[in-house]
Amino acid sequence: MLSALPDDALAPHWLQVPDDANDLPATVWPASAQRDADGALAIGGVGVAELRTKYGTPLYVLDETEVRAHARGMHDALRGAAQAHGTDARVYYAGKAFMSAEVVRWVTEEGLCVDVCSRGELETALAGGADPARMGYHGNNKRVSELERAIEVGIGAIVVDSAIEIERIAAIAARRGVVQRVFVRVNTGVHAETHDFLATAHEDQKFGVPLDAAPVSVARIREIPSLEFGGIHCHIGSQIFGAAGFVESASRVVELYATLLAGGSVPTLNLGGGFGIAYTRVDQLTPFPELASAIVEAVARECEVRGLPLPELAFEPGRSVIGQA
Ligand SMILES: *Cc1c(COP(=O)(O)O)cnc(C)c1O
C-alpha cells in the first residue's frame, strides 16, 4: 500500500510513502533479503545484527549471489539477443558503479569483461584477476601516466575521448613496440535519463567527439601503425528505462558506421550502459531480456535497411549489475 506525499514535499511527484516502511519490495532488495518473526533483517542468510556486531557500522553489505545472478543474466540476455541476429556481444562491467577486487572476481567468473576509468580502478581490476586483454579504459582526461600503465599491462581497448589522445596513445604504443586497439567515443547528441531522452544535432557534452568529427579521428587512427581501430563507442546516460533512447542513439551510430565502413573495417559497436534499476516500488522495469532484444533488434534493423553487416556489439552495464545487491 502506498500513500501520496504532501504536495510541498521536496521529492519527485511520483514518489510515494510506503505504508509499511519495513517492507522489502522484491524489485528493490536482493532476493535473499528477509525478515524473521521479530522483524530483524537478514541478507544471504546472515542477520544484519550479527554483521553489525562483527564489523561495526557503517557497513556496506553486498549479496554475492545477487551480483552473480544479475551479471550472468545480463550477459546471457545480451549475447543471446546478438546471436539471434547472427553476431555476438561482449558485456563489460562498468566498474565505476562499484569496484573492489572481490566484485571483479565475481563478475569476470560470470563471463563479463571489465571497464575501468582510472589508475586505481585498473589496479583494482588486475588485483581481482581480470584479464587485461578483456578490459576497456575510459575517461575524458586520462593522464599520460595512466595510458602508459594501461598499455604496459596489455589493456584490450582504450576508448579515445578526444583527438589529442590519439597522438598520446600512438606515441606510447610506438615506443613500446606494440599495436594498441582503440575505440572512438562519439557524442551522438542523445542524452537519456529515466523515461525521457533529449536528442539534439549537437550537444555540448563533456564526453566524446561529436558525430560529425568522428570520421576525421577514425581516419587518423587508421593511418597510424601503432594503433588498431576497434570500433565506435557511445554511452547516452544512466538510469534509463525502456529502449527508445537507445534506439535513437543506435540509428545515429549506424549512420556513422556506414560512413566509416567506406574507409575500412569497423569491428565493434559499443552501445554503453545505463539500464535503469528500481529504487522504490514505483519504478517499473522492463524484463531485461526484452530490453536487450529491443535494442539489438533496432541496431540490426538500422544495418539491414542500409544493406550493412551487423558488427559485433558491446555493452557496459554498471548499476544494473550491482545496484540491487
Ligand atoms: C557510467 C558508465 C557506464 C555504466 O552506466 P550504468 O548507468 O551504471 O549502467 C557505462 N559506460 C560508461 C562510459 C560510463 O561512463
Side-chain angles (χ1 to χ4, degrees):
M1 287 287 288
L2 300 166
S3 50
L5 286 165
D7 284 344
D8 60 352
L10 292 173
H13 67 274
W14 48 262
L15 190 61
Q16 297 181 306
V17 180
D19 283 353
D20 178 4
N22 288 322
D23 191 20
L24 303 172
T27 52
V28 177
W29 286 79
S32 72
Q34 283 180 342
R35 290 190 188 281
D36 67 16
D38 297 329
L41 176 64
I43 293 170
V46 186
V48 294
E50 188 188 328
L51 292 170
R52 182 201 56 209
T53 305
K54 190 162 177 192
Y55 299 104
T57 61
L59 180 65
Y60 205 97
V61 179
L62 282 171
D63 180 339
E64 176 180 350
T65 306
E66 186 80 19
V67 176
R68 286 183 180 272
H70 286 262
R72 170 62 56 188
M74 302 189 79
H75 173 268
D76 290 353
L78 290 163
R79 287 196 72 192
Q83 285 164 359
H85 289 276
T87 185
D88 206 347
R90 278 184 175 230
V91 185
Y92 291 79
Y93 172 57
K96 81 166 188 281
F98 181 91
M99 174 76 89
S100 72
E102 188 65 8
V103 164
V104 166
R105 194 171 67 75
W106 300 344
V107 299
T108 52
E109 282 177 4
E110 298 303 330
L112 271 56
C113 308
V114 178
D115 263 351
V116 298
C117 62
S118 68
R119 174 83 193 262
E121 286 189 2
L122 173 63
E123 301 300 340
T124 304
L126 292 172
D131 176 0
R134 287 167 55 83
M135 284 166 56
Y137 204 109
H138 274 280
N140 64 352
N141 196 14
K142 304 176 191 75
R143 290 168 182 233
V144 170
S145 62
E146 292 177 291
L147 294 171
E148 293 263 10
R149 177 66 176 153
I151 294 168
E152 178 192 350
V153 303
I155 197 118
I158 299 177
V159 182
V160 164
D161 211 85
S162 60
I164 192 163
E165 215 172 78
I166 297 170
E167 310 304 327
R168 289 177 181 158
I169 297 166
I172 297 166
R175 193 167 358 97
R176 302 192 71 91
V178 298
V179 176
Q180 178 61 52
R181 169 133 48 73
V182 294
F183 279 67
V184 172
R185 178 166 180 171
V186 295
N187 175 359
T188 61
V190 178
H191 196 80
E193 199 174 339
T194 311
H195 300 288
D196 301 316
F197 69 89
L198 177 77
T200 57
H202 296 276
E203 206 191 355
D204 184 20
Q205 220 240 73
K206 69 174 180 174
F207 290 105
V209 301
L211 269 178
D212 54 8
V216 174
S217 289
V218 174
R220 177 69 187 133
I221 290 166
R222 282 171 168 161
E223 70 186 21
I224 300 175
S226 62
L227 298 180
E228 175 194 331
F229 179 55
I232 314 167
H233 173 279
C234 66
H235 171 72
I236 59 170
S238 219
Q239 197 52 2
I240 304 165
F241 295 95
F246 292 104
V247 170
E248 177 58 34
S249 163
S251 110
R252 295 175 177 210
V253 165
V254 172
E255 193 76 54
L256 172 64
Y257 169 62
T259 307
L260 296 178
L261 274 182
S265 79
V266 184
T268 305
L269 293 185
N270 186 327
L271 299 173
F275 311 112
I277 66 169
Y279 283 85
T280 76
R281 65 160 67 247
V282 176
D283 296 315
Q284 298 289 325
L285 299 184
T286 309
F288 191 73
E290 263 176 55
L291 187 59
S293 292
I295 295 168
V296 172
E297 231 170 270
V299 181
R301 200 167 50 237
E302 293 290 337
C303 288
E304 201 183 321
V305 296
R306 292 172 177 83
L308 305 173
L310 181 62
E312 184 195 66
L313 302 176
F315 297 90
E316 305 174 321
R319 118 174 45 205
S320 50
V321 174
I322 201 88
Q324 195 165 353

